[in-house]
Structures are given as structure tokens and as C-alpha cells.
Amino acid sequence: MARSHSSSHTHRDSVPVSPSLAQTLAENSPPVATGADRRLVWISVLAVVIGLVAGPVAKVLLELIHFFTQLFFYGHLSFEPATPAQHHLGAWVILIPVLGGLIIGLMARWGAKAIRGHGIPEAMEQVLLNQSRIPARITLWKPLSSAVSIGTGGPFGAEGPIIATGGALGSLLGQLLHVTAVERKTLLAAGAAGGMAAVFSAPFSAVLLAVELLLFEFRGRSMIPVALAAATATSVRYLLLGSDAVFPMAAVAPAAFQAMFGYALLGAVIGLLSVGVTRVLYWIEDGFERLPLHWMWWPALGGLAVGLVGYVAPATMGVGYELIQAILNAQMGLTALAFLCVMKFLSWSIALGSGTSGGTLAPLFIIGGAIGGCAGLIAAHYVPALLIDPRVAALVGMAAMFAGASRAFLTSVIFAIEVTHQPNALMPLLAGCALAYLVSSLWMRNTIMTEKITRRGVRVPDEYAADPLGQVTVAEVYTPDPVTLNVEDRLDKVRSWLLQGDRQSHHQGFPVLDGQGLLQGVVTRRDLMALDVEPDVEVQSLIQRAPVVVSIHHSLRDAADHMVRHGVGRLVVVEAANRKQVLGVLTRSDILKAHQRRLGEQDTRLRTFSLRGNR
């Protein structure tokens, strides 16, 4: 293995080149890239296991929410579905979320502080900073704390907590089996996708969510296990809860041409509103940070706001999936929708800003759906020629709010279709979510998912592009016919040649060939000029280890990674069939020059676009 030499050459640690040089050269060549291997099969099997577990875990979480709702609002020990909106507690209802906030604070203080927050941002942070290692205790504390939070009236959905719990399960399995960090990230994403798929019966959007918010890449080696986990979890959901749409709607007709303009405009407006929603949420969170109280007490203060709002508007308490159903089927009037939108936003933003355990998806869907529903009713009444369907407008509003706030564009579009089984809504969703994404990107740098961790100094990838180094082969940039040395060359003569300073002697490394012109090793200028070496020795004696090689068919990404693994700045380019046959040399400068050419082409296109725009 070639490495940088130390500054001292008193003890040279020379390693004789192995007689089986061909085998050593094969080992010192980058691995051949393959689309799939046994390791991928193994990770896929683990992902299926995670998917099998995610379904029952989602079911247990929903049952726990029902249990705590029955316990705190009705005094029953029951797992029957229940909603806080039908309580008969009167003003006493204000205290229920306060009690829940106190319990959450105690859980976070003495159990696991990481249960605080949305769930998804915390998982993103572990992926980016901690090699996808989520503490095992989160697997228990996150769903339990979320069930208490929602069961005591918290205005959150179950999807955020189950995504975080599924991710924790995947991470835990990866830690127990000692897989690589990349594989552990895949298992974490598989667990998160499995959790979302199990809750919403939305496997495709669950995969997209994992890609856009957790994997930060788009390649088969990560998506295949995630897809298998999502498909498995959805199948388990079908077995436990049925295969009906989560939010069924009466069939909608394809959007008329003129209606598309209305849906696109609605998406743009909601994109702007999503910026406001995000900024207000973090403004409230900053306000709690300035309070002269320990953070353990903040969820109780947030619970007080939930209770006060819930006393005025009981429908704002709890998961609110029945509200999404009513909004999407135009079962609420204009005044009711507007009131629900304001009250839900007020309750949710204060509660989440207080640091309690809860999610963002369902509240954003309700807020965006209510805005879209209002816009649809107004357009249908005052501008009937546009042929706007209030139900489709509500669906576009729901998806566009999430697209603008999270920038998970593809997830938003496909999710809206999967949970409603309305393929005819595809075009309005594409237009609305695209405009929401565009407007949000223009007005807000971070998202509701990344603002918190960005403030901690974490840089979150926001674009996924093909690796330019992976698109260029070594054959396109390497230096052919390199300057070489012979194994029998005397060191004193080589040093004299180096000191002459001609152009060919300026290289930092030289392949060493035998009498037949076959590669035997590499020596560096530093080796040749070392003071502790006798000048009458042959160059062959300076070869310390087998050379690190690459073929002309490898990509520059393969070559760059190979350089890093072996700690070298140059690779000998050899024939793929005969690794002793030298073709040339590839240096770090060659790789940088290729990258520079790509940047030059990009800058040229930008300048051309700019000049055309100025005409």
C-alpha cells in the first residue's frame, strides 16, 4: 500500500515487492463497479424485516393514541378509536394538554431529550453528523411520548413520530449487525419509509420522502432496500387495516385547461404562505428559548395554548385525520374552513415551538387543505368560468403547503394521489406543488425540516445531481507515455538527471519498469533524493511497496476514491487485461483539470444565458 513517506529516512521500512506482483496489482486496482452484489441482497433482506416490523409498530402507535385519548378525555381504559373533539369536560379540557406537556417534559428530561421536536429533522441530523446512529432508547421513548402528546390533545399527526421510530429501528438493527455507515443510513431510511407507508398506505411517496429528506442520493443500492421495506410495510397495513384509501374522495374529473391556471396560482400563493408558516414556527421556538425557565417546563406552556384553543375550537385537538377527510370532500363551509385554519395553525405552532413531541405533516395538510378549500369555494362562486373544483383545490392546497414548507416536491405530489386514489388530480398537483416549491425557494433558504439543524452548523444537501467525476473515464484525461525509470538505473545518474531540471524531470513520481518494459513499482522524487541512501544503488532497491494502479476504463470517481484509500497523489494507468503493461499516469492535477473543464462549460452556459437575458 503506497503512503506518504515520513520526513525521516533513518529507518526506511522497505517492503520487498511480492513475487506474485500480478495478484498484488489486481488488489491495488479499484474494484469493478457492479449494479448489485450479495451485500445488497443482505441489506434488502434486512429492509424487508424492518418493513414487517414497521407495520405492527404503526398499528401499536395508533392504538396507544386511542388509549390515551380515551383515558384522558373520557376516563375509559379502552383502545377504541376516539377524538378529543367529542369531549364533555367543558373548561377542564384546558388542563388536559397541560398535563400532557408536563409528562412530555419529564420524559425528555429523564428519558431521552431527543424525543423533543418534529422527528424528521432529528433523523436527518443523525444521518449527516452521527453516521445514522440513533440511540436505542429512542425506539421506545419517541412513540410513547408522541402517543401521550397526541392523546392529551396535541394537534399533531402520527406520521412524524412513526417515521422517527421506524428510522430508529433501522438504525438500531444496523448498529447491532455492525454494517457500514452507508448501509446503516439505508436501513434508517428503510425504517422511516416503512413507518410512513404503514400509516398512510403510501409506499411510493414513502420511498420518495426517504430519498428527498434522508438518503440525499438517488441510486439503486439505497432505493431498492427502501422500496422493499415500504412495500412490505404497506402489505402488512393491508392485512391489519385494509387497503382502502386513507382519505377517500368521490372521483374527480380531469382538470379543465382554464382551471390549471387557477391551481397553479393557488400553489404559488400557498408557497408564499408556507414561508410565513415556517418563519412563525421558528420565531415562536426562539421565544421559548429566551424564557427564564428550564426547557422541561416549556411543553406544559405549549399545552396551555393547545387547551385554550381547544376549548374554543375542539376540532383542533388530536391527529385531525377526520378533518382532512372533511376538507377534501368539501364538507365544510367557507367560514368553518377559515376558522379551522387559523385555530389549527395557532395551536400547532405554539405547541411544536415549545419543544414537545409531535409531527408536522398532518397539521400542514390541514392548514394547506383549509386554505385551498377556501380558495376553491371562492373561485367556484365568483369565477365559475374557471371550472375550479373546491375538492381538487383543497387537495392542491394540502400538497402545496407541504411542498413549500419541506421542499419534498415529488413526495408531496405522489402522496396526495396515493392517500386519495385520485389519479386525475395529477396535473393540478404538479402545477400547484411546482409553483409552491419555486416561490418557497425564492423567499426562504432553509425549510421547516432543515432550519433547526442548519442553525447548529449542519449543512443539508438540497440538490441531487450526477457526480461529474463519475461521468468521465481515466482514458479521457490521463497522461500517456509517462517518464519511466528502469530497475537497473543507478541512483547517482538518476539524481544528476533530476538536478538538470529539464521538463521531464519535474514529475513527483516515476513508474519503474523491468527489462521487458513491465511495471515493477513506483518511486517518488523524495525517495530518489533521500540523503540516507547510497548513490551507487539501483533504483530497484528503492521500491518499497507494490504500485497503486488504475485502468483506462475506470471513472475519475473510482480513481479519486482509490487515491484517498491508498494515500497517494498519482496512479499508474495500466492495461485492464495486463496490469503490468503501463499506459500512462493519472495525477490529482489531471482530475482537477477535468473538473475545471466541466465548470468552464457550466460558466459558459451561464454567461450565454445572461447575455441573452440582457438583450
Side-chain angles (χ1 to χ4, degrees):
M1 182 182 294
R3 296 187 183 277
S4 300
H5 301 102
S6 64
S7 58
S8 173
H9 291 266
T10 305
H11 303 286
R12 291 189 54 85
D13 296 332
S14 295
V15 178
V17 177
S18 170
S20 57
L21 182 59
Q23 179 181 354
T24 305
L25 290 176
E27 295 173 354
N28 281 2
S29 179
V32 178
T34 58
D37 53 26
R38 292 181 180 179
R39 194 68 187 176
L40 176 57
V41 174
W42 170 237
I43 298 300
S44 297
V45 170
L46 295 179
V48 170
V49 173
I50 292 171
L52 288 171
V53 176
V57 168
K59 173 71 172 175
V60 169
L61 177 59
L62 294 174
E63 294 291 339
L64 280 175
I65 292 173
H66 297 324
F67 174 79
F68 286 120
T69 302
Q70 291 277 11
L71 176 64
F72 285 104
F73 286 93
Y74 304 101
H76 301 154
L77 296 176
S78 172
F79 290 95
E80 289 297 317
T83 171
Q86 299 172 356
H87 72 85
H88 301 287
L89 297 175
W92 290 104
V93 74
I94 298 173
L95 299 180
I96 301 298
V98 176
L99 177 60
L102 288 172
I103 296 173
I104 299 302
L106 291 172
M107 284 184 172
R109 178 73 182 274
W110 306 111
K113 186 179 178 180
I115 65 173
R116 305 171 69 229
H118 315 196
I120 297 178
E122 289 72 22
M124 295 170 70
E125 186 173 21
Q126 296 305 313
V127 168
L128 294 168
L129 291 184
N130 198 29
Q131 296 186 330
S132 304
R133 291 189 176 95
I134 297 178
R137 60 184 181 274
I138 299 300
T139 309
L140 171 65
W141 286 109
K142 186 62 179 180
L144 183 59
S145 63
S146 299
V148 171
S149 177
I150 299 171
T152 55
F156 311 111
E159 62 290 328
I162 192 58
I163 288 173
T165 303
L169 282 170
S171 174
L172 177 61
L173 182 60
Q175 293 174 70
L176 292 175
L177 297 178
H178 304 292
V179 300
T180 67
V182 173
E183 292 168 340
R184 189 162 50 249
K185 179 180 71 171
T186 301
L187 293 177
L188 185 154
M196 179 175 176
V199 171
F200 282 121
S201 187
F204 193 14
S205 54
V207 174
L208 293 175
L209 180 77
V211 169
E212 295 185 297
L213 297 182
L214 293 173
L215 289 172
F216 307 114
E217 63 182 15
F218 195 86
R219 62 175 188 151
R221 292 191 67 85
S222 54
M223 284 195 299
I224 288 172
V226 172
L228 290 173
T232 303
T234 305
S235 299
V236 173
R237 179 199 163 81
Y238 288 171
L239 182 64
L240 297 176
L241 301 173
S243 59
D244 295 335
V246 177
F247 304 123
M249 296 173 59
V252 299
F257 177 77
Q258 59 269 40
M260 289 298 299
F261 291 97
Y263 297 131
L265 178 61
L266 174 61
V269 172
I270 290 185
L272 187 59
L273 292 175
S274 72
V275 175
V277 166
T278 302
R279 289 180 174 173
V280 169
L281 173 62
Y282 283 100
W283 177 78
I284 293 173
E285 187 171 289
D286 292 340
F288 275 98
E289 293 282 351
R290 291 190 289 269
L291 290 177
L293 290 174
H294 191 277
W295 55 260
M296 181 183 74
W297 305 106
W298 298 351
L301 293 179
L304 180 60
V306 172
L308 291 171
V309 173
Y311 177 65
V312 177
T316 61
M317 305 179 80
V319 292
Y321 291 156
E322 71 283 353
L323 293 176
I324 297 177
Q325 175 90 29
I327 292 170
L328 293 178
N329 286 280
Q331 296 173 352
M332 302 177 69
L334 183 61
T335 303
L337 283 173
F339 181 73
L340 172 64
C341 177
V342 174
M343 292 294 103
K344 186 72 175 183
F345 171 67
L346 186 63
S347 175
W348 165 73
S349 59
I350 295 176
L352 193 59
S354 71
T356 193
S357 180
T360 58
L361 274 70
L364 287 176
F365 294 155
I366 292 173
I367 295 167
I371 296 172
C374 288
L377 291 173
I378 293 172
H381 182 75
Y382 291 101
V383 197
L386 281 179
L387 300 178
I388 296 289
D389 186 336
R391 298 172 303 157
V392 176
L395 186 60
V396 170
M398 180 181 82
M401 179 60 76
F402 185 63
S406 69
R407 309 267 171 78
F409 167 65
L410 294 175
T411 301
S412 303
V413 173
I414 302 302
F415 176 84
I417 295 175
E418 285 190 301
V419 297
T420 60
H421 294 184
Q422 296 297 329
N424 285 335
L426 175 61
M427 295 303 291
L429 286 167
L430 280 175
C433 291
L435 266 294
Y437 187 109
L438 174 61
V439 172
S440 171
S441 299
L442 291 173
W443 285 82
M444 182 172 62
R445 180 174 183 178
N446 298 314
T447 72
I448 200 169
M449 302 297 180
T450 63
E451 177 69 23
K452 180 184 294 185
I453 58 178
T454 299
R455 292 181 179 185
R456 299 172 185 163
V458 181
R459 186 183 182 278
V460 182
D462 58 356
E463 292 186 358
Y464 314 111
D467 183 358
L469 295 182
Q471 299 174 316
V472 181
T473 64
V474 171
E476 299 177 57
V477 300
Y478 82 102
T479 303
D481 301 323
V483 179
T484 62
L485 300 177
N486 190 276
V487 293
E488 298 179 353
D489 287 339
R490 312 293 296 188
L491 180 57
D492 53 355
K493 293 183 179 180
V494 175
R495 284 178 172 176
S496 298
W497 170 68
L498 290 174
L499 294 174
Q500 289 177 3
D502 62 46
R503 187 173 182 180
Q504 288 186 331
S505 66
H506 287 170
H507 299 294
Q508 298 300 312
F510 303 93
V512 180
L513 311 181
D514 62 11
Q516 298 177 340
L518 300 179
L519 179 65
Q520 297 300 305
V522 173
V523 293
T524 66
R525 175 181 290 271
R526 194 172 186 178
D527 296 328
L528 296 169
M529 302 303 292
L531 297 178
D532 63 336
V533 180
E534 297 296 331
D536 59 345
V537 300
E538 295 180 346
V539 170
Q540 182 178 10
S541 66
L542 300 180
I543 299 175
Q544 300 187 55
R545 51 187 61 85
V548 184
V549 299
V550 68
S551 79
I552 59 175
H553 304 298
H554 283 106
S555 70
L556 291 190
R557 169 52 57 207
D558 296 331
D561 291 347
H562 204 45
M563 286 181 179
V564 172
R565 290 191 185 100
H566 289 270
V568 298
R570 65 198 61 80
L571 300 173
V572 181
V573 182
V574 297
E575 288 277 8
N578 182 8
R579 292 186 175 89
K580 290 186 179 182
Q581 187 66 50
V582 177
L583 298 178
V585 173
L586 179 75
T587 67
R588 287 175 293 198
S589 297
D590 294 326
I591 296 177
L592 291 176
K593 287 176 183 177
H595 199 58
Q596 184 180 28
R597 283 203 300 269
R598 185 193 69 84
L599 291 177
E601 294 172 359
Q602 176 178 311
D603 293 341
T604 300
R605 290 195 296 269
L606 290 175
R607 286 195 297 270
T608 302
F609 178 79
S610 178
L611 289 172
R612 288 176 179 174
N614 292 331
R615 290 177 182 174

